[in-house]
Amino acid sequence: MQKISVLLFLAWVSFLFYAGIALFTSGFLLTRWELTNHSSCQEPPGPGALPLGGRGEPGACWMASRFSRLVLVVIDALRFDFAQPQRAPVSGEPPVSLPFLGKMGFLQRLLESQPHHARLYQAKADPPTTTVQRLKALTTGSLPTFIDAGSNFASSAIVEDNLIKQLSSTGRRVVFMGDETWNDLFPGVFSQALFFPSFNVRDLDTVDNGIMEHLYPTMDSDKWDVLITHFLGVDHCGHKHDPYHPDMAKKLTQMDKMIQGLVKRLKNDTLLVVTGDHGMTISGNHGGESKLETSTALFLYSPRALFPSAPAEEPEIIPQISLVPTLALLLGLPIPFGNIGEVIAEVFSEIEDSQPRSSALAQASALHLNAQQVSRFLHTYSATAQDLQVQELHRLQKLFSKASADYQRLLQSPQGAEAALQTVILELQQFLRGVRAMCIESWARFSLSFLLLHLLAAGIPITTPGPFTVPWHAVFAWALMATETFYTTGHQTAFSAIQWHAAFVGISESHNFTWLYAFLVGANTFASHILFAVGCPLLLLWPFLCENQGSRKRRQPPGNEAEARVGPEEEQEPLMEMRLRDAPQHFSAALLQLGLKYLFVLGIQILACVLAAYILRRHLLVWKVFAPKFVFEAMGFIVSSVGLCLGIALVMRVDVAVSSWFRQLVLTQEKAGEQSSLVYTGAGSSAREAQPHLLPPCSQDLLASGTSLFYNSRS
């Protein structure tokens, strides 16, 4: 029962560590399931008639296109206040003077001079605010996470339905210039491309100047339908300096002049979109969920009137992913299958028709298509994964059914009141915003929590008295040897470095043994953790090894070797392994103490990874280096803790077997002694004392140890 208690206690401590890892993982390593379904013009998003012009005109899809060309300018880390119009200072208050304020004055002049052609929004990005995740959101309309589980686990290419693939599949010529990250996300999609490396953050000008060199000549040519540029200078300036450095003013001024040149070259059928992928903190970093990191600028402009009214005094705050369904319908494309963004309704107003009902009906039609697409996605996703809230999902589906029925009823009554249309618009918007809130709750709860349970487990006292105390430096050395063996065998803490060929060692590739393949890869990756964890109980021999070496040195002082050889015969000590039986009442406690020490050392390693990931969560390489490091350390800890429990259980099983053998040996010796006393009754005590020496020396040691153990345990 004592041995079972030891194993149960170790399992409980391991569970505390697991709970701590899960607590941190739930907020840091965001996860969702990835679908590969694609929308198409041949398959409407839902039942019912399409809006006027949908699939009825050349180039039309779900809705008639309003623009045939698009210029998408992504300015990396374009925070909202970098582009926000500057107001005149209030009398009596000192003017605010910051290097980045008022440097994009051309946008402000467009907003003031052409209020029906231009609009500035404050787009709120969803965390994590890193470039790769934000580019996925800007093209798929979903909430990309660290682990998008699906068919592209070992690849960075986007396999979900997205705007770039929709444009390419419909024959649009997509030209790209800028950050090479787009080549990793969309390989082989662009008709023309000019990629620049993105990780040299100390270089503020090479990428931007390279784009500027080719931008206007490409605009003037007739070899594109969609032109995408991704400038990096603003982001690099933030990383190298901060937003308050004079170089930031220079980069924003350069971007302002670039936009001015684009506007001069725009034709009436072209839409200009300028946006940032994320913001930046006061120190110039990003990656988290603070207001400065998630606040980005979104600017829309068209040479022809696009908006029914002048902009509000304060720019509207919209989700960043609202850009995806908006661009899809404006360009006559189907909305990407996994989009959960809400269209910007005012963009779909009827400018030429002065009737309020016409604008309201056009907005309701766009929102209804959007809601049908989102409802279809929810139905498909909920059948694949079970991470959405069931009750909330049912409530939202009922809300959509009611709004859709109201919309269809209004379509059948041409003279319907505008108030009823506004009610339908509100219901559809409520559904879309509810879906996004539910998905954020399930996929993007970006809350960095420390390992409180980890600290609780680490605080369990692990010092117990006894003769088998293993020193801390031995435990640390053992754990470091496991880590060193992991790297020396060719492994790295990166998903791209996993040795996948290990899955087919001794197995034909024609067989489909998925779990066996996974087991072989895992065993190959964490072999060092398994071996050293299972062998950890061998450290119990460490004190006796050190004691044995010290006793030899004490028995043979310098200069007395000859005397030691010719001196009287000393009493032989029991074998080192048998010393473990000297104090059986402390043996289980010694195993528990050793196991807790090893778990504590492993816990320190994973806690260091957690702290590194938390402190460096805004580092450029957080999702490329630090997050995978945490994943491997967490898996290594789980494997090691299981191996440790197995190793200790094995040692306990051997201990039980040896104890049983000792008892039989002692009983046999007692019986032999009784028989000898009967036969040699009158031989005297000297004969009885000489009897054990008839055994070999090794058996004498074992017998002495076993006899001592037996009588100690009986006493």
Side-chain angles (χ1 to χ4, degrees):
M1 292 300 298
Q2 185 179 11
K3 294 177 174 57
I4 295 178
S5 299
V6 169
L7 290 176
L8 291 178
F9 188 76
L10 285 176
W12 178 72
V13 174
S14 299
F15 173 78
L16 289 181
F17 281 102
Y18 299 160
I21 293 172
L23 176 65
F24 183 81
T25 302
S26 63
F28 187 68
L29 300 183
L30 313 175
T31 306
R32 69 179 175 91
W33 192 258
E34 188 179 66
L35 301 181
T36 58
N37 306 62
H38 287 72
S39 299
S40 65
C41 293
Q42 290 72 29
E43 297 180 7
L50 290 172
L52 184 63
R55 297 178 62 185
E57 298 178 1
C61 189
W62 296 354
M63 178 177 284
S65 62
R66 299 196 176 194
F67 296 94
S68 58
R69 285 189 170 190
L70 168 68
V71 178
L72 175 60
V73 179
V74 178
I75 301 178
D76 208 297
L78 182 64
R79 207 168 67 189
F80 173 71
D81 53 351
F82 293 171
Q84 186 177 14
Q86 296 302 296
R87 300 178 182 176
V90 181
S91 60
E93 295 184 2
V96 179
S97 178
L98 295 174
F100 55 79
L101 292 179
K103 296 302 181 289
M104 304 190 74
F106 180 70
L107 298 185
Q108 182 173 356
R109 292 193 296 271
L110 283 178
L111 292 170
E112 294 173 352
S113 61
Q114 303 183 51
H116 296 278
H117 298 252
R119 190 72 88 241
L120 177 65
Y121 299 96
Q122 181 178 347
K124 188 178 184 300
D126 298 296
T129 50
T130 52
T131 297
V132 172
Q133 273 71 26
R134 299 325 311 146
L135 291 182
K136 287 183 178 180
L138 283 170
T139 54
T140 64
S142 187
L143 301 174
T145 59
F146 171 70
I147 300 177
D148 293 332
S151 59
N152 70 328
F153 180 76
S155 172
S156 59
I158 298 178
V159 299
E160 283 185 293
D161 196 9
N162 58 81
L163 281 177
I164 306 302
K165 288 188 177 180
Q166 289 289 351
L167 289 167
S168 178
S169 62
T170 55
R172 310 289 180 91
R173 296 166 298 177
V174 184
V175 178
F176 177 82
M177 304 176 189
D179 187 355
E180 64 180 356
T181 304
W182 289 73
N183 187 36
D184 298 329
L185 298 177
F186 309 102
V189 176
F190 303 110
S191 58
Q192 297 181 29
L194 184 64
F195 299 111
F196 295 90
S198 59
F199 281 114
N200 185 11
V201 296
R202 304 191 66 84
D203 185 357
L204 308 183
D205 300 314
T206 299
V207 177
D208 293 357
N209 293 342
I211 297 175
M212 294 294 296
E213 181 181 352
H214 298 84
L215 178 58
Y216 297 144
T218 303
M219 281 280 296
D220 296 333
S221 69
D222 193 30
K223 299 180 179 179
W224 62 276
D225 297 308
V226 176
L227 177 59
I228 304 175
T229 63
H230 190 152
F231 292 88
L232 297 174
V234 174
D235 180 68
H236 286 187
C237 183
H239 288 296
K240 183 180 180 180
H241 305 295
D242 55 56
Y244 306 95
H245 195 273
D247 284 348
M248 181 62 75
K250 297 178 182 178
K251 296 307 300 181
L252 292 175
T253 301
Q254 181 187 20
M255 296 296 99
D256 190 61
K257 293 181 179 179
M258 177 269 299
I259 297 172
Q260 186 174 359
L262 289 176
V263 170
K264 292 180 180 179
R265 292 169 170 81
L266 289 179
K267 298 180 180 180
N268 287 336
D269 64 342
T270 306
L271 174 67
L272 172 64
V273 178
V274 180
T275 184
D277 55 346
H278 51 74
M280 65 172 65
T281 63
I282 58 175
S283 60
N285 295 319
H286 57 89
E289 60 174 349
S290 67
K291 182 178 179 180
L292 293 178
E293 293 170 280
T294 59
S295 174
T296 67
L298 173 60
F299 178 77
L300 304 181
Y301 176 79
S302 170
R304 67 188 187 203
L306 184 61
F307 302 94
S309 60
E313 184 176 356
E314 288 293 336
E316 182 183 356
I317 301 176
I318 64 173
Q320 188 184 51
I321 57 176
S322 296
L323 182 63
V324 175
T326 303
L327 289 181
L329 295 183
L330 287 177
L331 296 173
L333 300 172
I335 301 175
F337 188 89
N339 165 76
I340 59 171
E342 172 192 342
V343 294
I344 305 174
E346 64 175 339
V347 176
F348 297 92
S349 302
E350 292 290 346
I351 306 301
E352 299 177 355
D353 193 339
S354 60
Q355 294 295 328
R357 185 184 187 280
S358 300
S359 292
L361 182 59
Q363 294 179 18
S365 299
L367 284 169
H368 186 252
L369 282 174
N370 189 185
Q372 283 183 314
Q373 168 266 317
V374 171
S375 177
R376 181 183 64 177
F377 165 72
L378 287 180
H379 179 75
T380 305
Y381 187 90
S382 59
T384 304
Q386 306 298 325
D387 54 359
L388 296 178
Q389 303 173 19
V390 178
Q391 293 182 350
E392 181 66 11
L393 186 63
H394 290 165
R395 186 189 72 83
L396 291 172
Q397 291 290 8
K398 290 181 180 178
L399 178 61
F400 168 72
S401 299
K402 180 181 181 303
S404 181
D406 293 342
Y407 170 76
Q408 297 293 343
R409 185 171 58 254
L410 287 175
L411 287 181
Q412 298 174 2
S413 57
Q415 301 301 324
E418 181 188 358
L421 279 172
Q422 293 296 337
T423 302
V424 171
I425 290 175
L426 291 177
E427 290 176 346
L428 293 171
Q429 289 177 335
Q430 185 180 358
F431 165 73
L432 292 169
R433 293 168 187 176
V435 170
R436 180 175 176 273
M438 178 184 64
C439 293
I440 289 177
E441 180 68 20
S442 301
W443 301 336
R445 292 170 296 178
F446 193 71
S447 56
L448 293 172
S449 305
F450 283 102
L451 286 179
L452 300 179
L453 296 178
H454 176 106
L455 296 177
L456 175 63
I460 294 176
I462 55 177
T463 302
T464 57
F468 310 116
T469 302
V470 180
W472 277 103
H473 66 270
V475 181
F476 272 102
W478 193 262
L480 291 177
M481 285 176 61
T483 303
E484 189 267 346
T485 305
F486 175 82
Y487 289 104
T488 55
T489 51
H491 298 286
Q492 298 180 18
T493 54
F495 296 118
S496 59
I498 295 178
Q499 300 176 3
W500 299 105
H501 59 82
F504 307 104
V505 175
I507 301 177
S508 174
E509 298 185 16
S510 60
H511 296 85
N512 187 19
F513 302 124
T514 305
W515 290 106
L516 181 58
Y517 294 153
F519 172 78
L520 292 176
V521 173
N524 175 72
T525 304
F526 299 102
S528 60
H529 298 76
I530 297 173
L531 293 177
F532 280 88
V534 174
C536 183
L538 294 176
L539 290 177
L540 286 177
L541 302 179
W542 181 280
F544 306 111
L545 177 64
C546 298
E547 179 184 349
N548 190 27
Q549 292 177 348
S551 62
R552 289 180 181 178
K553 293 180 180 179
R554 289 194 299 270
R555 288 199 305 266
Q556 297 183 2
N560 296 333
E561 290 82 356
E563 296 180 5
R565 285 193 299 267
V566 300
E569 182 179 0
E570 297 182 357
E571 180 181 358
Q572 294 184 356
E573 295 185 358
L575 295 177
M576 183 171 58
E577 292 82 354
M578 296 301 106
R579 292 288 301 278
L580 296 174
R581 307 303 313 160
D582 287 346
Q585 66 275 16
H586 294 299
F587 184 65
S588 297
L591 283 175
L592 177 61
Q593 179 184 7
L594 177 60
L596 290 176
K597 283 185 176 181
Y598 194 66
L599 288 177
F600 181 81
V601 174
L602 296 178
I604 289 178
Q605 291 180 342
I606 190 171
L607 181 60
C609 287
V610 167
L611 294 176
Y614 175 79
I615 295 172
L616 301 172
R617 64 190 182 278
R618 293 183 175 89
H619 195 278
L620 280 174
L621 300 179
V622 62
W623 304 110
K624 191 176 183 67
V625 175
F626 302 109
K629 171 69 174 176
F630 166 72
V631 171
F632 276 85
E633 286 291 345
M635 292 299 300
F637 177 86
I638 295 174
V639 171
S640 297
S641 60
V642 174
L644 176 66
C645 292
L646 291 177
I648 291 179
L650 178 62
V651 169
M652 288 182 171
R653 178 67 184 88
V654 173
D655 176 60
V656 171
V658 172
S659 299
S660 176
W661 177 71
F662 271 148
R663 286 194 295 269
Q664 295 178 4
L665 185 62
V666 171
L667 292 176
T668 302
Q669 174 63 16
E670 288 181 346
K671 291 180 181 180
E674 292 175 357
Q675 294 177 359
S676 300
S677 62
L678 293 176
V679 176
Y680 300 102
T681 303
S685 60
S686 59
R688 289 194 299 271
E689 293 174 355
Q691 183 67 25
H693 296 285
L694 298 177
L695 297 173
C698 180
S699 298
Q700 295 174 21
D701 293 338
L702 295 176
L703 183 59
S705 299
T707 306
S708 175
L709 165 67
F710 178 75
Y711 287 112
N712 287 340
S713 60
R714 290 183 62 184
S715 63

